[in-house]
């Protein structure tokens, strides 16, 4: 519940700031503004002062203490740094609506059509002898174990 | 600072 409270505060504060300062979420996420925001919201963030035992064989189940110097890195329900700014379909870039328009403003193609086209093996689809479909599920397992982000 | 004010307002709304 403390993490949910932090998330609510962050989301609502972001909304208030962008409206009051007439800036976009992209502006707020930019350098400078993001540091001001982080400083202002710091005291309302959950999970502070994590203590790790260096003698523990494993990290915590939620990923905490995987990195002893930065105990929260890679843990569940924490923000993940991005290489590029987000571009979701909702105006606030929260991600509740997937992106549906291209940079030209035209609707993006149906992902199912792309998937079917890319993976269409024709009448004689290639068969690998090195991996089975288990590789896919193992990759998904690792992915979700690392992310665990709602 | 306007950012701090907005965060404080959000805290008030969430904790209300």
């Amino acid at each position: 519940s403390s993490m949910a409270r932090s998330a609510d505060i962050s989301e609502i504060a972001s909304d208030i700031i962008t409206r009051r300062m007439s800036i976009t979420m992209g502006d707020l996420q930019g350098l400078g503004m993001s540091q001001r925001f982080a400083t202002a919201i710091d005291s309302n963030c959950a999970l502070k002062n994590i203590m790790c035992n260096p003698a523990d064989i494993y990290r915590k189940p939620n990923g905490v203490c995987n990195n002893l110097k930065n105990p929260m890195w890679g843990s569940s329900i924490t923000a993940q740094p991005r290489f590029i700014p987000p571009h979701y379909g909702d105006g606030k870039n929260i991600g509740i609506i997937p992106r549906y328009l291209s940079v030209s403003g035209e609707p993006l193609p149906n992902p199912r059509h792309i998937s079917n086209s890319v993976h269409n093996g024709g009448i004689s689809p290639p068969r690998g002898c090195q991996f089975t479909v288990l590789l896919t599920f193992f990759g998904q397992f690792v992915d979700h174990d690392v992310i665990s982000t709602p | 600072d306007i950012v701090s004010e907005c965060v404080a307002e959000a805290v008030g709304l969430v904790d209300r």
Side-chain angles (χ1 to χ4, degrees):
Chain A
S1 63
S2 62
M3 294 176 107
R5 177 180 175 273
S6 299
D8 285 343
I9 291 170
S10 178
E11 192 174 321
I12 293 171
S14 301
D15 189 41
I16 295 171
I17 291 169
T18 52
R19 278 191 287 112
R20 203 163 286 175
M21 297 179 74
S22 297
I23 61 175
T24 65
M25 284 299 285
D27 296 330
L28 184 59
Q29 291 158 347
L31 285 176
M33 276 303 290
S34 66
Q35 187 55 52
R36 285 173 66 189
F37 185 73
T39 301
I41 208 161
D42 183 68
S43 62
N44 295 289
C45 289
L47 283 181
K48 308 188 78 160
N49 303 318
I50 301 294
M51 300 295 289
C52 301
N53 181 357
D56 284 349
I57 299 175
Y58 302 108
R59 62 183 185 175
K60 306 296 182 194
N62 63 356
V64 168
C65 295
N66 188 46
N67 182 316
L68 294 177
K69 290 182 181 173
N70 302 281
M72 293 303 294
W73 281 12
S75 64
S76 306
I77 321 181
T78 57
Q80 299 171 66
R82 293 176 177 276
F83 289 109
I84 56 175
H87 273 286
Y88 291 109
D90 58 283
K92 296 173 189 170
N93 263 332
I94 294 171
I96 54 175
I97 300 176
R99 184 178 175 183
Y100 56 92
L101 295 176
S102 76
V103 291
S104 68
E106 295 295 313
L108 288 168
N110 185 320
R112 186 67 176 152
H113 293 162
I114 295 174
S115 176
N116 285 341
S117 299
V118 170
H119 298 290
N120 182 1
I123 58 173
S124 180
R127 300 202 180 277
C129 55
Q130 189 174 4
F131 302 113
T132 70
V133 74
L134 183 61
L135 178 71
T136 308
F137 298 117
F138 181 72
Q140 194 82 336
F141 167 75
V142 172
D143 179 305
H144 292 184
D145 181 49
V146 169
I147 294 178
S148 291
T149 302
Chain B
D1 176 29
I2 187 170
V3 175
S4 299
E5 291 171 12
C6 294
V7 169
E9 186 177 333
V11 170
L13 288 170
V14 170
D15 290 343
R16 187 172 60 187

